[in-house]
Amino acid sequence: MSIPPRYDPFSIEEKWYKYWEEKGLFAPREGERRFSITIPPPNITGSLHMGHALNYTLQDIITRYKRMRGFSALCLPGTDHAGIATQYVVERELAKQKKTRFDIGREAFVQLVWQWKEKYGDTIIKQFKRMGYSFDWSRLRFTLDEDYSRAVKTAFVRLYERGLIYKGLRMVNWCPRCQTSLSDLEVDSREEETTLYYIKYPVDTGAFFITVATTRPETMLGDVAIAVHPDDERYKDWIGRMFVLPFTGREIPLIADPSVDPNFGTGAVKITPAHDPNDFEIVMRHKDELKAKLGHSLEPENILKKYTIMNKQGKIVKVKYFEGLDRFVARERIVKELDKLAFLEKSEPYTTVIGHCYRCGTVLEPYLSEQWFLKMSELVKPAIKVLEEGEIRIIPEKYTDMLLDWLRNIKDWCISRQIWWGHQLPLYRCSSCNTYIASVEKLTQCPKCGKKVKQEEDVLDTWFSSALWPFATLGWPDDTEDLRKYYPTDILFTARDILYLWVGRMIIMGMEFMKDIPFEKVYVHPTVLTEEGKRMSKSLGTGIDPLELVEKYGADAVRFGLAVQSATGQDLRFSTNRIEMARAFCNKIWNATRFVLLNLAPDVKPLDLNKVENVFDRWILSKLHRTIVGVTKNLDSYDFDSASLAIYNFFWDDFCDWFIEISKRRINEEIVQSILLEVLDSSLRLLHPFMPFVTEELWQKLPISGESISIASWPEADKYPLDEEAEKRVAFFQEIVKEARSMRKMLGVGPRGKPELLLYYGNQERPLLEAEEKELIKSLCTLGDVKVIKEVPEDKKFLKSRVGDVELLLEVKKSEKLDEEIDRIKRELEKVEEELRKVEERLKDEGFLTHAPKHIKEKQEAIREELLQKKRSLEERLSLLSEAGE
């Protein structure tokens, strides 16, 4: 079968993906052993980034591998509705028309989001297919599809009926732009430069004042107290005194609480319970004392009513002079007025951590509001138990302790969000009965009194629906065949930043509703960083689009390049050099296959192992055995980099660089052709999970019957006998060839020169080279002859080297070429010494050592080591040639 001279990935990738889909090859095949993965559902707003590319590539590698091992392998895909993220995108589109969601109403807005989803929501699905992922698209799920919504409602209703869902007044993270609460895990915390203001609060008599330090002077309008540490000697005599709150004239007490840091600012802090979670906790601890001082209750409901001085849009309320101002504008105005009234003592730069909305980036506001919560204290116990007992294995293991620590200290989960896109809470309020009814089915009237009910407007946190993913995608709450067969799933691939948001919650929900773990293993893939170790980010200009790499190098090269960099437990410093290496490897595979096919007889016979006698034939089959064992073992243990390197080294080095070159002298022998075909076939199968497109294209051209390599059987190592004697003999042969080539180079022998290689064994009893091996060495090293000698001639000069106990000798003849080589080495040595001098000066420079980033210093150290090694090598060669040429 003909094969083009050049490898062109773009001419084959679309063709083969279409073929696989049309043949239904991604659906699970019949088999007693089953394997299943439910992929982490990407947001419908998303497009493929490097983290995605790594995660889903590793999942596809393992799925294709299991499929070839004969498993009934299911990799179930889907997408997440991504409540806040998707609503934000559509609201931005509305804003271009100078409208908000409130202008068009809930029903019209939700319909608009569905239209957006239909238009743009499958972008990442198309990108998955471009990468060659063999997901079962016939089972594609969406977290807002009808069946999935029923699963979410069922879960909610069961939890509600167990008394685990309640409504409470809590301090939440509030996004003034998205108009919703966020869980602590959804907060994007950033270290930022801000200002610390020192504000004077006069004592009630006006005789003196106390100075408090704050970064948020705009919230002082809601202060109820000032707090100091009980052991702070500066303020002991003042505790219990009343101080006047500037602008309002209200009197507030000085209280003592051990949570106050006496080293922060002046050691005195203002207490604003409606706008700071720590302040809220302090007030709850001192509410009786404060009630006595202020004359009214400080229960949460009263705090919300009386001391909330900012609305949900982040604007000041209840304080006439500042009312209606944006919080940051109000801050500037308040500081200005404080200064004018001599209440501002000073201000200074200050670095602190500020929470931002993880979607839109807006600075969050701690806000006291009514929300729906899920009680976690009982739900979490089975999850802790299965992790402690090792029923779920997390790779790397360090993440098990991290997850357990979070679970043991878990707080009740705020599951309500004040947005419109998502799963609306299946709760209905009957004002007549003054009660809530939870129902999977839509209600219009109260089942008790028959009067009209109103559904809660909040939607569920996106992570609530995502927590049901491993079983809801398989048909729960129905008892489906898929659920019985594929749950629990075998492994979850995930990023470490959603270990708590998603992984822990899936374990909790799996144990609650299925009474079983959701997955047996969790593989936390490396975080993809830039080559310099920086976070990849489009906004920071450090992001790399994997689809651009696919357009340049092809999907197979990107997949293999990612796998070979994926060391377990380490961050991945992404380098396009590895993608280029993988592209070169694709070319190597293509050219090797082309060579084999061009030289196969039309009636080439299957390999008969009984006819394998030649040492090189035995050697390549033995090496194939070891490679199959290595790739299989590493894939079974999810060591993707080791697995990919094992097949890379075998195919490039052993098969192409050695066996194919050696076989050219015997290419017409039937056994050689059978071995070439056998090794090529097995190699393509081993490579297929990593490089599906090129391996399918080439495998289809082999004289082998089969519908697709993707469902061909995985190679069996035991088919090929191990032969340690052949491996040792060929290893000796290879070292002779490598050393002879190096010696030729050191002597500067031209391409037409054919020196004689002498081998001196001394008294060592080593197997002598066979005539075939000598001829191969002559051919591979361009030598005139290869001779074994009993003693070293003393009347000639030789360049000497060793392979084990065997001495290699090449005669040195005085020539212009030898002199030219010596001069060339001297010039190169001078250049290296000058470069080394500059690097060492840089590494001694105090300014460089103090200010240069760590990765730059490490790079310079590596350059110095490389130059030192090069210098030693050149000096050694110069010494040898100078001595030989005398």
Side-chain angles (χ1 to χ4, degrees):
M1 190 177 287
S2 64
I3 179 170
R6 285 183 171 276
Y7 164 60
D8 175 19
F10 313 112
S11 67
I12 65 171
E13 291 179 354
E14 185 178 350
K15 172 185 74 174
W16 286 117
Y17 202 89
K18 185 179 179 182
Y19 175 84
W20 295 327
E21 281 198 284
E22 288 175 349
K23 294 288 185 179
L25 299 180
F26 299 158
R29 303 176 73 78
E30 291 299 321
E32 291 183 8
R33 296 185 301 172
R34 63 93 176 155
F35 175 82
S36 62
I37 297 177
T38 51
I39 75 164
N43 293 348
I44 55 170
T45 56
S47 59
L48 203 69
H49 56 63
M50 289 306 299
H52 282 141
L54 175 65
N55 187 333
Y56 297 114
T57 293
L58 299 183
Q59 291 180 73
D60 190 52
I61 287 170
I62 210 70
T63 301
R64 286 180 179 273
Y65 163 67
K66 292 291 186 178
R67 192 177 290 129
M68 295 177 76
R69 289 291 303 272
F71 285 78
S72 176
L74 169 65
C75 192
L76 192 151
T79 52
D80 195 293
H81 66 278
I84 295 173
T86 308
Q87 177 156 320
Y88 174 59
V89 170
V90 178
E91 282 191 275
R92 276 194 310 184
E93 293 299 310
L94 263 181
K96 294 176 183 177
Q97 304 169 33
K98 301 193 183 305
K99 291 182 180 179
T100 70
R101 59 181 162 125
F102 301 104
D103 293 328
I104 65 173
R106 182 170 195 147
E107 187 176 344
F109 180 79
V110 170
Q111 188 59 37
L112 196 63
V113 183
W114 274 109
Q115 291 170 8
W116 185 93
K117 187 261 180 190
E118 293 306 312
K119 189 174 181 180
Y120 301 108
D122 65 345
T123 297
I124 201 162
I125 300 298
K126 292 174 183 175
Q127 293 172 335
F128 281 174
K129 294 181 178 184
R130 187 75 177 83
M131 290 291 294
Y133 300 148
S134 60
F135 303 157
D136 184 358
W137 301 113
S138 69
R139 287 174 164 87
L140 180 66
R141 299 304 303 271
F142 176 51
T143 54
L144 268 181
D145 67 34
E146 187 177 341
D147 288 339
Y148 202 97
S149 292
R150 184 164 61 89
V152 173
K153 291 172 187 173
T154 301
F156 182 94
V157 170
R158 290 185 186 180
L159 292 168
Y160 185 83
E161 289 174 347
R162 280 192 59 196
L164 296 176
I165 292 175
Y166 66 95
K167 196 173 191 179
L169 195 59
R170 293 288 189 278
M171 185 71 68
V172 296
N173 306 294
W174 183 264
C175 177
R177 201 229 68 84
C178 295
Q179 287 289 289
T180 187
S181 62
L182 300 173
S183 73
D184 291 343
L185 295 172
E186 294 171 307
V187 176
D188 177 13
S189 298
R190 307 175 195 169
E191 191 175 86
E192 295 183 11
E193 290 292 326
T194 185
T195 303
L196 189 62
Y197 300 94
Y198 291 78
I199 304 171
K200 295 187 287 188
Y201 288 49
V203 73
D204 52 1
T205 63
F208 58 91
F209 57 81
I210 188 170
T211 302
V212 303
T214 180
T215 59
R216 304 200 61 205
E218 69 276 14
T219 63
M220 68 182 289
L221 304 171
D223 287 357
V224 300
I226 301 166
V228 295
H229 193 279
D231 298 332
D232 195 329
E233 294 292 337
R234 293 170 293 181
Y235 305 112
K236 272 195 171 182
D237 294 339
W238 294 1
I239 294 172
R241 291 292 298 266
M242 301 297 284
F243 290 81
V244 178
L245 181 63
F247 303 124
T248 68
R250 284 195 293 111
E251 291 186 1
I252 59 176
L254 178 65
I255 62 174
D257 191 274
S259 68
V260 177
D261 179 4
N263 297 313
F264 173 75
T266 63
V269 295
K270 65 188 199 62
I271 303 301
T272 318
H275 298 283
D276 185 282
N278 295 321
D279 292 1
F280 181 82
E281 294 300 325
I282 289 174
V283 167
M284 290 301 100
R285 288 196 291 271
H286 295 267
K287 58 185 178 181
D288 292 338
E289 176 188 352
L290 289 169
K291 181 179 179 180
K293 288 286 186 181
L294 298 173
H296 57 259
S297 167
L298 282 181
E299 292 297 333
E301 294 79 6
N302 205 33
I303 292 173
L304 177 64
K305 183 179 179 181
K306 190 173 181 65
Y307 293 106
T308 300
I309 51 87
M310 200 180 297
N311 64 18
K312 292 182 177 181
Q313 288 74 37
K315 294 183 177 181
I316 302 297
V317 294
K318 298 179 185 173
V319 184
K320 189 173 182 181
Y321 186 68
F322 305 105
E323 190 155 7
L325 293 179
D326 175 81
R327 52 190 168 152
F328 298 118
V329 175
R331 178 183 298 178
E332 293 178 10
R333 181 81 61 85
I334 287 170
V335 169
K336 188 175 180 180
E337 291 300 315
L338 286 169
D339 191 31
K340 187 188 296 184
L341 298 170
F343 287 130
L344 183 66
E345 185 174 288
K346 64 175 182 175
S347 63
E348 62 188 20
Y350 185 71
T351 302
T352 189
V353 174
I354 297 176
H356 296 254
C357 176
Y358 79 115
R359 283 302 171 195
C360 71
T362 300
V363 174
L364 296 175
E365 194 62 45
Y367 197 79
L368 193 61
S369 69
E370 278 194 319
Q371 301 288 338
W372 289 94
F373 292 86
L374 176 61
K375 294 179 184 177
M376 301 301 290
S377 56
E378 290 301 315
L379 281 175
V380 79
K381 289 178 181 178
I384 291 172
K385 185 173 184 286
V386 295
L387 283 167
E388 287 178 338
E389 295 179 356
E391 288 187 49
I392 297 175
R393 178 186 167 212
I394 302 182
I395 308 166
E397 290 183 7
K398 64 181 180 181
Y399 292 112
T400 303
D401 290 336
M402 291 171 61
L403 184 54
L404 275 169
D405 183 63
W406 179 73
L407 290 170
R408 288 168 183 149
N409 295 283
I410 201 166
K411 296 178 182 178
D412 286 355
W413 178 7
C414 176
I415 56 173
S416 52
R417 297 291 181 268
Q418 290 67 50
I419 57 175
W420 291 348
W421 173 247
H423 296 277
Q424 194 170 351
L425 271 64
L427 276 174
Y428 301 83
R429 175 152 179 85
C430 176
S431 55
S432 295
C433 298
N434 192 28
T435 188
Y436 284 98
I437 306 104
S439 173
V440 174
E441 304 304 324
K442 186 82 173 175
L443 295 182
T444 57
Q445 58 185 38
C446 178
K448 292 181 181 179
C449 69
K451 292 189 177 179
K452 192 175 180 181
V453 294
K454 182 182 179 183
Q455 187 173 1
E456 277 287 285
E457 292 194 356
D458 289 354
V459 302
L460 283 164
D461 176 11
T462 298
W463 295 104
F464 183 94
S465 53
S466 297
L468 313 178
W469 187 252
F471 52 92
T473 53
L474 295 170
W476 186 90
D478 296 334
D479 182 24
T480 65
E481 184 181 346
D482 272 2
L483 189 62
R484 290 193 300 272
K485 184 172 184 177
Y486 294 112
Y487 188 92
T489 61
D490 287 79
I491 187 166
L492 171 77
F493 286 77
T494 187
R496 65 184 179 212
D497 57 354
I498 53 174
L499 190 65
Y500 311 139
L501 276 168
W502 191 45
V503 179
R505 288 166 173 171
M506 280 192 288
I507 299 172
I508 292 168
M509 293 302 193
M511 296 305 298
E512 170 65 15
F513 294 112
M514 295 296 296
K515 309 305 177 189
D516 200 355
I517 57 175
F519 26 70
E520 295 174 359
K521 300 181 187 72
V522 177
Y523 179 92
V524 182
H525 66 72
T527 299
V528 184
L529 306 174
T530 66
E531 203 165 357
E532 294 76 29
K534 295 179 181 177
R535 182 170 66 92
M536 278 201 176
S537 166
K538 287 182 181 178
S539 60
L540 295 175
T542 55
I544 297 175
D545 186 344
L547 270 300
E548 289 182 6
L549 294 175
V550 170
E551 291 300 324
K552 184 174 182 181
Y553 300 104
D556 285 330
V558 174
R559 289 169 60 109
F560 194 87
L562 284 169
V564 84
Q565 297 181 75
S566 180
T568 304
Q570 300 177 27
D571 285 338
L572 189 161
R573 291 197 175 194
F574 180 78
S575 170
T576 53
N577 291 339
R578 291 293 193 173
I579 309 297
E580 290 168 358
M581 176 207 83
R583 173 60 194 259
F585 188 35
C586 289
N587 289 330
K588 191 81 169 179
I589 298 165
W590 187 272
N591 292 334
T593 305
R594 189 167 186 272
F595 169 82
V596 171
L597 290 177
L598 289 173
N599 286 281
L600 287 183
D603 57 347
V604 61
K605 292 181 172 56
L607 175 63
D608 183 349
L609 289 168
N610 294 319
K611 295 181 179 179
V612 178
E613 297 176 352
N614 181 279
V615 67
F616 293 106
D617 298 347
R618 287 158 37 215
W619 167 78
I620 195 63
L621 294 176
S622 185
K623 295 289 280 187
L624 177 58
H625 175 110
R626 293 189 188 277
T627 302
I628 295 169
V629 169
V631 175
T632 304
K633 178 184 175 183
N634 285 316
L635 285 178
D636 283 338
S637 58
Y638 306 99
D639 289 332
F640 295 97
D641 58 328
S642 300
S644 52
L645 283 171
I647 182 58
Y648 175 89
N649 291 332
F650 170 77
F651 193 87
W652 192 300
D653 297 338
D654 297 332
F655 185 55
C656 294
D657 287 358
W658 288 103
F659 188 75
I660 285 182
E661 289 303 313
I662 289 167
S663 70
K664 288 177 181 177
R665 295 168 55 87
R666 305 165 51 222
I667 198 66
N668 293 322
E669 292 181 21
E670 181 183 293
I671 189 66
V672 171
Q673 293 192 13
S674 296
I675 290 173
L676 283 169
L677 179 58
E678 183 76 21
V679 175
L680 178 59
D681 176 26
S682 291
S683 296
L684 291 176
R685 295 180 196 224
L686 292 173
L687 282 163
H688 178 72
F690 304 93
M691 298 174 149
F693 293 112
V694 69
T695 51
E696 184 75 84
E697 175 74 10
L698 296 174
W699 192 79
Q700 293 283 356
K701 295 181 182 298
L702 302 185
I704 293 170
S705 60
E707 187 176 15
S708 169
I709 191 174
S710 67
I711 54 172
S713 60
W714 187 253
E716 295 293 335
D718 290 342
K719 179 180 178 181
Y720 311 107
L722 271 178
D723 194 325
E724 293 188 5
E725 189 276 329
E727 288 188 29
K728 287 179 182 177
R729 189 175 187 99
V730 174
F732 173 64
F733 165 85
Q734 289 173 318
E735 288 303 312
I736 295 287
V737 170
K738 290 175 189 175
E739 204 55 42
R741 285 173 172 171
S742 176
M743 292 168 74
R744 272 184 61 91
K745 186 177 179 182
M746 288 179 73
L747 282 175
V749 178
R752 294 184 181 181
K754 291 188 176 182
E756 185 178 70
L757 176 66
L758 304 180
L759 303 176
Y760 175 60
Y761 281 67
N763 297 322
Q764 299 298 320
E765 293 185 4
R766 276 185 168 270
L768 298 177
L769 291 171
E770 299 289 344
E772 179 196 11
E773 294 165 327
K774 289 182 183 179
E775 286 302 312
L776 281 168
I777 293 171
K778 280 169 59 178
S779 172
L780 295 171
C781 302
T782 320
L783 298 171
D785 201 359
V786 177
K787 293 180 180 177
V788 176
I789 57 174
K790 293 184 177 180
E791 55 184 41
V792 179
E794 297 181 1
D795 58 338
K796 296 179 180 178
K797 291 186 179 296
F798 294 97
L799 178 63
K800 299 177 182 179
S801 187
R802 302 189 78 82
V803 172
D805 300 320
V806 179
E807 194 167 23
L808 282 66
L809 301 94
L810 274 185
E811 185 178 355
V812 178
K813 296 179 180 178
K814 186 71 175 175
S815 67
E816 286 184 15
K817 282 197 172 293
L818 181 60
D819 291 338
E820 287 173 5
E821 180 65 9
I822 290 172
D823 289 341
R824 188 194 66 77
I825 293 173
K826 285 179 178 178
R827 289 193 302 274
E828 188 176 351
L829 183 59
E830 287 175 3
K831 184 179 177 183
V832 168
E833 286 173 337
E834 177 60 22
E835 290 177 7
L836 183 60
R837 182 188 64 77
K838 290 178 181 177
V839 171
E840 288 182 331
E841 282 181 0
R842 190 174 297 120
L843 288 170
K844 290 176 184 176
D845 183 85
E846 285 297 328
F848 175 79
L849 293 173
T850 304
H851 301 294
K854 183 182 177 183
H855 72 274
I856 296 292
K857 287 187 277 191
E858 289 175 350
K859 191 171 183 179
Q860 289 297 309
E861 292 279 3
I863 291 171
R864 177 172 64 177
E865 193 54 43
E866 187 181 330
L867 289 170
L868 282 170
Q869 191 173 345
K870 195 171 183 180
K871 180 174 178 284
R872 286 192 290 268
S873 176
L874 289 168
E875 287 172 340
E876 184 181 341
R877 286 176 62 190
L878 183 61
S879 175
L880 282 169
L881 294 184
S882 298
E883 183 182 332
E886 290 175 355

PDB file of all heavy atoms in Angstrom, residues 51 72 78 87 158 187 351 375 383 524 563 731 738 764 782 787 815 883:
ATOM      1  N   GLY A  51      -4.363  23.573  30.858  1.00  0.00           N
ATOM      2  CA  GLY A  51      -4.766  22.677  31.936  1.00  0.00           C
ATOM      3  C   GLY A  51      -5.786  21.659  31.456  1.00  0.00           C
ATOM      4  O   GLY A  51      -5.698  20.468  31.761  1.00  0.00           O
ATOM      5  N   SER A  72     -14.580  -3.139  28.844  1.00  0.00           N
ATOM      6  CA  SER A  72     -15.754  -2.411  28.383  1.00  0.00           C
ATOM      7  C   SER A  72     -15.578  -0.993  28.909  1.00  0.00           C
ATOM      8  O   SER A  72     -15.987  -0.659  30.020  1.00  0.00           O
ATOM      9  CB  SER A  72     -17.031  -3.048  28.951  1.00  0.00           C
ATOM     10  OG  SER A  72     -18.161  -2.294  28.574  1.00  0.00           O
ATOM     11  N   GLY A  78     -19.415  15.504  29.201  1.00  0.00           N
ATOM     12  CA  GLY A  78     -20.515  16.404  29.508  1.00  0.00           C
ATOM     13  C   GLY A  78     -20.002  17.808  29.740  1.00  0.00           C
ATOM     14  O   GLY A  78     -18.789  18.047  29.766  1.00  0.00           O
ATOM     15  N   GLN A  87     -24.025  33.339  33.251  1.00  0.00           N
ATOM     16  CA  GLN A  87     -24.889  34.510  33.414  1.00  0.00           C
ATOM     17  C   GLN A  87     -24.089  35.791  33.196  1.00  0.00           C
ATOM     18  O   GLN A  87     -24.575  36.740  32.569  1.00  0.00           O
ATOM     19  CB  GLN A  87     -25.523  34.509  34.807  1.00  0.00           C
ATOM     20  CG  GLN A  87     -26.378  35.746  35.051  1.00  0.00           C
ATOM     21  CD  GLN A  87     -27.437  35.535  36.111  1.00  0.00           C
ATOM     22  OE1 GLN A  87     -28.069  34.476  36.173  1.00  0.00           O
ATOM     23  NE2 GLN A  87     -27.644  36.523  36.948  1.00  0.00           N
ATOM     24  N   ARG A 158     -34.533  15.078  49.016  1.00  0.00           N
ATOM     25  CA  ARG A 158     -34.191  14.051  50.021  1.00  0.00           C
ATOM     26  C   ARG A 158     -33.394  14.670  51.170  1.00  0.00           C
ATOM     27  O   ARG A 158     -33.601  14.324  52.334  1.00  0.00           O
ATOM     28  CB  ARG A 158     -33.406  12.924  49.358  1.00  0.00           C
ATOM     29  CG  ARG A 158     -34.250  12.086  48.419  1.00  0.00           C
ATOM     30  CD  ARG A 158     -33.484  10.902  47.868  1.00  0.00           C
ATOM     31  NE  ARG A 158     -34.272  10.182  46.862  1.00  0.00           N
ATOM     32  CZ  ARG A 158     -33.846   9.102  46.214  1.00  0.00           C
ATOM     33  NH1 ARG A 158     -32.633   8.608  46.474  1.00  0.00           N
ATOM     34  NH2 ARG A 158     -34.613   8.522  45.312  1.00  0.00           N
ATOM     35  N   VAL A 187     -13.837  32.301  46.257  1.00  0.00           N
ATOM     36  CA  VAL A 187     -13.229  33.625  46.382  1.00  0.00           C
ATOM     37  C   VAL A 187     -11.825  33.599  45.795  1.00  0.00           C
ATOM     38  O   VAL A 187     -11.013  32.731  46.120  1.00  0.00           O
ATOM     39  CB  VAL A 187     -13.171  34.069  47.860  1.00  0.00           C
ATOM     40  CG1 VAL A 187     -12.445  35.404  47.986  1.00  0.00           C
ATOM     41  CG2 VAL A 187     -14.572  34.167  48.437  1.00  0.00           C
ATOM     42  N   THR A 351      -0.165  46.341  52.841  1.00  0.00           N
ATOM     43  CA  THR A 351      -0.416  45.196  51.963  1.00  0.00           C
ATOM     44  C   THR A 351      -1.339  44.214  52.662  1.00  0.00           C
ATOM     45  O   THR A 351      -1.079  43.814  53.799  1.00  0.00           O
ATOM     46  CB  THR A 351       0.908  44.482  51.593  1.00  0.00           C
ATOM     47  OG1 THR A 351       1.777  45.423  50.970  1.00  0.00           O
ATOM     48  CG2 THR A 351       0.649  43.326  50.636  1.00  0.00           C
ATOM     49  N   LYS A 375     -26.432  21.329  56.052  1.00  0.00           N
ATOM     50  CA  LYS A 375     -25.677  20.881  57.227  1.00  0.00           C
ATOM     51  C   LYS A 375     -24.671  19.805  56.806  1.00  0.00           C
ATOM     52  O   LYS A 375     -25.044  18.824  56.156  1.00  0.00           O
ATOM     53  CB  LYS A 375     -26.625  20.298  58.275  1.00  0.00           C
ATOM     54  CG  LYS A 375     -27.575  21.305  58.897  1.00  0.00           C
ATOM     55  CD  LYS A 375     -28.494  20.606  59.903  1.00  0.00           C
ATOM     56  CE  LYS A 375     -29.521  21.573  60.485  1.00  0.00           C
ATOM     57  NZ  LYS A 375     -30.464  20.874  61.405  1.00  0.00           N
ATOM     58  N   ALA A 383     -17.596  10.113  54.246  1.00  0.00           N
ATOM     59  CA  ALA A 383     -16.515  10.517  53.329  1.00  0.00           C
ATOM     60  C   ALA A 383     -15.168  10.457  54.027  1.00  0.00           C
ATOM     61  O   ALA A 383     -14.171   9.988  53.460  1.00  0.00           O
ATOM     62  CB  ALA A 383     -16.788  11.920  52.794  1.00  0.00           C
ATOM     63  N   VAL A 524      -4.573  13.663  40.617  1.00  0.00           N
ATOM     64  CA  VAL A 524      -4.448  15.117  40.603  1.00  0.00           C
ATOM     65  C   VAL A 524      -3.303  15.461  39.647  1.00  0.00           C
ATOM     66  O   VAL A 524      -2.134  15.245  39.959  1.00  0.00           O
ATOM     67  CB  VAL A 524      -4.170  15.681  42.011  1.00  0.00           C
ATOM     68  CG1 VAL A 524      -4.093  17.199  41.966  1.00  0.00           C
ATOM     69  CG2 VAL A 524      -5.252  15.220  42.988  1.00  0.00           C
ATOM     70  N   ALA A 563       2.052  14.495  27.511  1.00  0.00           N
ATOM     71  CA  ALA A 563       2.217  13.273  28.306  1.00  0.00           C
ATOM     72  C   ALA A 563       3.656  13.100  28.777  1.00  0.00           C
ATOM     73  O   ALA A 563       3.908  12.723  29.927  1.00  0.00           O
ATOM     74  CB  ALA A 563       1.781  12.051  27.490  1.00  0.00           C
ATOM     75  N   ALA A 731      24.421  -5.157  23.268  1.00  0.00           N
ATOM     76  CA  ALA A 731      24.844  -3.975  24.027  1.00  0.00           C
ATOM     77  C   ALA A 731      26.344  -3.751  23.842  1.00  0.00           C
ATOM     78  O   ALA A 731      26.801  -2.601  23.673  1.00  0.00           O
ATOM     79  CB  ALA A 731      24.510  -4.151  25.501  1.00  0.00           C
ATOM     80  N   LYS A 738      29.414   2.989  18.973  1.00  0.00           N
ATOM     81  CA  LYS A 738      29.387   4.364  19.484  1.00  0.00           C
ATOM     82  C   LYS A 738      30.786   4.893  19.728  1.00  0.00           C
ATOM     83  O   LYS A 738      31.108   6.040  19.380  1.00  0.00           O
ATOM     84  CB  LYS A 738      28.584   4.414  20.799  1.00  0.00           C
ATOM     85  CG  LYS A 738      27.097   4.190  20.640  1.00  0.00           C
ATOM     86  CD  LYS A 738      26.438   4.141  22.025  1.00  0.00           C
ATOM     87  CE  LYS A 738      24.982   3.711  21.940  1.00  0.00           C
ATOM     88  NZ  LYS A 738      24.384   3.546  23.286  1.00  0.00           N
ATOM     89  N   GLN A 764      41.163 -11.111  28.772  1.00  0.00           N
ATOM     90  CA  GLN A 764      39.740 -11.271  29.070  1.00  0.00           C
ATOM     91  C   GLN A 764      39.104 -12.313  28.151  1.00  0.00           C
ATOM     92  O   GLN A 764      39.358 -12.338  26.945  1.00  0.00           O
ATOM     93  CB  GLN A 764      39.001  -9.929  28.893  1.00  0.00           C
ATOM     94  CG  GLN A 764      39.513  -8.838  29.809  1.00  0.00           C
ATOM     95  CD  GLN A 764      39.335  -9.179  31.271  1.00  0.00           C
ATOM     96  OE1 GLN A 764      38.308  -9.732  31.664  1.00  0.00           O
ATOM     97  NE2 GLN A 764      40.347  -8.860  32.068  1.00  0.00           N
ATOM     98  N   THR A 782      32.025   3.382   9.009  1.00  0.00           N
ATOM     99  CA  THR A 782      32.872   3.713   7.856  1.00  0.00           C
ATOM    100  C   THR A 782      34.339   3.401   8.165  1.00  0.00           C
ATOM    101  O   THR A 782      35.212   4.267   8.233  1.00  0.00           O
ATOM    102  CB  THR A 782      32.725   5.201   7.460  1.00  0.00           C
ATOM    103  OG1 THR A 782      31.368   5.586   7.564  1.00  0.00           O
ATOM    104  CG2 THR A 782      33.205   5.426   6.022  1.00  0.00           C
ATOM    105  N   LYS A 787      39.678  -5.608  13.313  1.00  0.00           N
ATOM    106  CA  LYS A 787      40.509  -6.769  13.621  1.00  0.00           C
ATOM    107  C   LYS A 787      40.658  -6.939  15.127  1.00  0.00           C
ATOM    108  O   LYS A 787      40.743  -5.955  15.867  1.00  0.00           O
ATOM    109  CB  LYS A 787      41.899  -6.601  13.015  1.00  0.00           C
ATOM    110  CG  LYS A 787      41.927  -6.618  11.494  1.00  0.00           C
ATOM    111  CD  LYS A 787      43.361  -6.453  11.002  1.00  0.00           C
ATOM    112  CE  LYS A 787      43.426  -6.467   9.468  1.00  0.00           C
ATOM    113  NZ  LYS A 787      44.816  -6.246   9.005  1.00  0.00           N
ATOM    114  N   SER A 815      48.771  14.245   9.778  1.00  0.00           N
ATOM    115  CA  SER A 815      48.154  14.757   8.556  1.00  0.00           C
ATOM    116  C   SER A 815      47.687  16.178   8.789  1.00  0.00           C
ATOM    117  O   SER A 815      47.599  16.645   9.923  1.00  0.00           O
ATOM    118  CB  SER A 815      46.956  13.885   8.159  1.00  0.00           C
ATOM    119  OG  SER A 815      45.930  14.034   9.122  1.00  0.00           O
ATOM    120  N   GLU A 883      48.843  14.417  21.928  1.00  0.00           N
ATOM    121  CA  GLU A 883      49.777  13.341  22.273  1.00  0.00           C
ATOM    122  C   GLU A 883      49.921  12.361  21.117  1.00  0.00           C
ATOM    123  O   GLU A 883      51.019  11.917  20.782  1.00  0.00           O
ATOM    124  CB  GLU A 883      49.251  12.620  23.516  1.00  0.00           C
ATOM    125  CG  GLU A 883      50.172  11.516  24.008  1.00  0.00           C
ATOM    126  CD  GLU A 883      49.598  10.796  25.208  1.00  0.00           C
ATOM    127  OE1 GLU A 883      48.828  11.416  25.966  1.00  0.00           O
ATOM    128  OE2 GLU A 883      49.921   9.599  25.376  1.00  0.00           O
TER     129      GLU A 883
END
